[in-house]
Amino acid sequence: MIPERSPQAQSAISVFFEESNDIDIFIEDTAYGYSKLFTTLFSRVFINDYKIGRVYPLGGRTAVIEQHAENSSNRPSLYIIDGDLFLLNGDNVENGNGLFKFPYYCVENVLCDPNALLYLLDEEEPVKDINELYSLLNYENWLQENENKLFSLFVEYAISMFLNPQEQTVAFKVSDLVSGNKGDINETKLSTRIDSLKELVIAKSSQEEYESIKHQILSSFNESGLNKLDVISGKDYLFPLLKTRAKSIVKTSISDINFKLRLAKVCDIGKLNSAKDYIAN
């Protein structure tokens, strides 16, 4: 078994790639293909500013924050963390010199761009034209049917994280909440899930405390400037749902990571541009 490198060792690797990088970018995700995924996205963000040949995965939010705090390099650098449920729950980690927190749940939220998805479907489909694919995808209808449902669920996840943190939240499979093959959340399954979370939270605390935290979360969200999809996990919920919908329209055997890598080349990166404001050195 090959031992995993520590975050410190992962961070030190950047020294060996200084010639191919004008900026050192460090991320959480160590999953297969994610270094290339982030390299693709941020090469687009910094196309006129920095050359990026590689980014460096450190293995989790805490590791990225700790390595950022210890960074003493005089090279341009950026340490990137997910927004996660902290977007709803509140977070004592803010953007700063060299540290950038996504203004949405995770990187997949950027990839779940309906125009990019349509572009990819058009590449995969040998017969139907893009107008027919647009009608079949019907993203606007999907959004109308699912956005509020997903938001309600993630509010419950945020409450649970605060009052009953040992309970499984985002790791609960979204496939257990859908009906059919169109990527739609089933109302009955959703209600059962939300009621279960609520009951467990109240059993651990009280009805009054539950209502108080829910009010705080909703009030904070309303003042945040975020939209509802921003606070829903792209990785575990939005991407699987939209992928399911896409594969009901176009028959394709494309893997998830290849799907994501191709989306990264064409998705809207507007919300990533604020990262430019937090580059160190």
Side-chain angles (χ1 to χ4, degrees), residues 60-94:
R61 198 175 205 258
T62 300
V64 174
I65 293 169
E66 289 177 349
Q67 287 303 298
H68 166 257
E70 296 174 9
N71 180 38
S72 59
S73 171
N74 59 4
R75 283 171 53 80
S77 62
L78 189 65
Y79 291 75
I80 301 171
I81 58 174
D82 292 342
D84 292 330
L85 277 174
F86 297 106
L87 293 173
L88 288 171
N89 249 350
D91 195 355
N92 58 6
V93 179
E94 299 296 339

Side-chain angles (χ1 to χ4, degrees), residues 16 30 40 58 83 99 101 137 139 152 157 177 225 239-240 246-248 255 268 279:
F16 299 104
T30 59
T40 299
L58 298 180
L99 182 65
K101 179 171 65 175
L137 180 62
Y139 176 81
S152 296
Y157 282 166
L177 297 173
F239 178 78
K247 289 190 172 183
S248 74
S255 69
D268 183 357
I279 298 168

Side-chain angles (χ1 to χ4, degrees), residues 85 149-173 177 188-207 209-211 213-214 237:
L85 277 174
K149 294 175 185 176
L150 289 167
F151 178 72
S152 296
L153 177 62
F154 271 74
V155 168
E156 294 299 326
Y157 282 166
I159 297 169
S160 186
M161 179 183 176
F162 197 93
L163 294 175
N164 188 25
Q166 70 273 18
E167 182 62 31
Q168 185 187 56
T169 55
V170 181
F172 185 89
K173 292 181 179 179
L177 297 173
T188 301
K189 293 178 180 179
L190 176 70
S191 295
T192 299
R193 175 67 174 148
I194 287 177
D195 289 346
S196 174
L197 288 165
K198 181 177 179 179
E199 289 173 8
L200 290 168
V201 164
I202 291 173
K204 286 283 185 178
S205 54
S206 67
Q207 179 76 37
E209 194 167 10
Y210 169 88
E211 296 294 347
I213 294 299
K214 185 172 184 177
Y237 281 71

Side-chain angles (χ1 to χ4, degrees), residues 42 45-46 78 80 100 271-279:
F42 281 90
V45 172
F46 295 122
L78 189 65
I80 301 171
F100 176 61
K271 288 187 177 180
L272 291 176
N273 286 327
S274 58
K276 296 178 181 180
D277 297 333
Y278 300 102
I279 298 168

Side-chain angles (χ1 to χ4, degrees), residues 247-263:
K247 289 190 172 183
S248 74
I249 298 166
V250 173
K251 295 188 184 302
T252 174
S253 59
I254 185 173
S255 69
D256 281 5
I257 187 57
N258 284 337
F259 205 145
K260 293 176 184 180
L261 286 169
R262 288 169 63 184
L263 288 171

